[in-house]
Amino acid sequence: MSDWHPASWQEKLAKQQAKYPSIQALDEILDQLSQLPPLVTSWEVDALKSQLAEASRGNAFLLQGGDCAESFSDCTSPVITNKLKILLQMSLMMIHGLNKPVIRVGRIAGQYAKPRSADTETLDNITLPSYRGDLINGPAFTTESRTPDPVRLLRGYGRAAMTLNFIRALSESGFADLHHPENWDLDFVSHSPLSNEYHKAVKDLSNSLRFMETLGSAKNSELNRVRFNTSHEGLHLHYEQALTREVPNRSGYYNLSTHLPWIGLRTAEIDGAHIEYFRGIKNPVGVKVGADMPTEWIQALVERLNPDNEAGKLVFIHRFGAEKIAEGLPKLIDAVRQTGKCVLWVCDPMHGNTETTENGYKTRRFDNILSELEQTFDIHHREGSILGGVHFELTGDDVTECIGGARGLDEAGLKRAYKTQVDPRLNYEQALEMAMAIVRKTAG
Ligand code: PEP
Ligand code: CO
């Protein structure tokens, strides 16, 4: 790694970066950011890597989920708690049904930067820079809002810190105690078509916890306190670099803005700046992979991002779409197998299944998401590889962004509570239903 340092990416082409009006103003902010304390610790990062290694062996399962794009205005108590609640509920269903530990990773506390397919947006003959996430600019279609402002980097760091502080405080104080799932009841649970199934799982799990504790085999803090990890797309490389640190008594550099940063599909070129930055950090690293990526590219990603073949280091988050996965996934698995190296396989059934309705709503169909997920389980099983986790865009709130699910949300219903800034998310009920479907699939 002698040719790597936290800024070596700057010698490569960095796609999807903001164009700031003043480089001097940016540098001043980055200087401040690089002095601020880290958001996570190297111990936590290494602990997550060990857990992901277990998931790659089939002994644990990763549940990664949250907003497509967090917004600064959503840094509120109800939004954060509802997101935690739904992730806890889903994980509870999965612990119960899969009979293995579930590793919870939120797309949370830093998911503020978005890749866009176009650099600019034109409305009524006015062309402005595209909205790239609250870390960079604002969504309102005005010159002022769309001009990248480096002060947003500090605000993003601040929002991430506040979010994480609240998550940590809740977890420490017993909110996430598996003995008290009533803490995480969302309002809907009592009047949902899924309520019976959920409450039965809660009851079963409480009984088995009590049983294990009676035997003395499970009286440990793991049951009282549930660990949450954070993740975001490591898109804004100046921000990531400013939070990349060396720590005492451990070698190498850690990205201490989050536990699990990932590389988006649009910035995964082998010779690009993102791969350069990511290849040097100690964190476990996710990469979004999908259709139309040639074998050589896939293999080069494995070699570049996991040269030492460390278990739990490299997470391949595949996102094909329900139509393409049957053809694409076996080739992907084969390409990785040829390298002889280890990856953790995770299915993102959201990003290959996005469509736009006649009324202009960007949406996803519950059935397509489920179909991709079910095909994934079958394909990995057939190929003798292990699906170690799932990756969802979801919220703990009652939004109407994806079509389908137990309540049969239809196209006309989308407008009732369509709130996302970027991609459509599963609402709480659809998310819980997805967790139940995963359990059903693995049991069947
Ligand atoms: C995302 O996860 O929100 C995203 C942009 O995904 P992808 O890089 O897979 O398109
Ligand atoms: Co998205």
Side-chain angles (χ1 to χ4, degrees), residues 366-411:
F366 187 92
D367 288 348
N368 290 341
I369 298 168
L370 183 57
S371 162
E372 176 159 358
L373 204 49
E374 290 185 339
Q375 292 181 64
T376 298
F377 275 102
D378 291 339
I379 295 167
H380 278 292
H381 183 68
R382 220 165 36 234
E383 298 287 327
S385 53
I386 293 168
L387 179 67
V390 286
H391 182 120
F392 292 115
E393 286 185 344
L394 55 80
T395 158
D397 294 307
D398 177 20
V399 299
T400 53
E401 298 169 6
C402 292
I403 292 173
R407 253 179 229 279
L409 182 69
D410 60 11
E411 262 187 62

Side-chain angles (χ1 to χ4, degrees), residues 205-224:
L205 204 74
S206 303
N207 287 343
S208 43
L209 278 183
R210 220 168 299 124
F211 179 65
M212 285 191 296
E213 283 169 349
T214 316
L215 288 180
S217 62
K219 205 161 189 109
N220 65 45
S221 59
E222 269 305 289
L223 300 175
N224 302 328

Side-chain angles (χ1 to χ4, degrees), residues 5 18 26 53-54 57 64 67 70 124 145 190 196 235 337 378 414 438:
H5 55 91
L26 173 67
E54 285 306 309
R57 297 179 191 114
Q64 186 176 14
D67 290 316
E70 284 178 279
D124 298 332
S145 158
S190 52
N196 283 347
L235 185 65
R337 186 167 284 144
D378 291 339
L414 288 179
I438 291 170

Side-chain angles (χ1 to χ4, degrees), residues 68 107 114-115 233 262 264-266 288 319 351 393:
C68 181
R107 288 174 63 117
K114 295 308 297 175
E233 179 172 347
W262 80 83
L265 189 81
R266 292 172 186 78
K288 294 288 201 85
R319 29 89 86 223
H351 286 87
E393 286 185 344

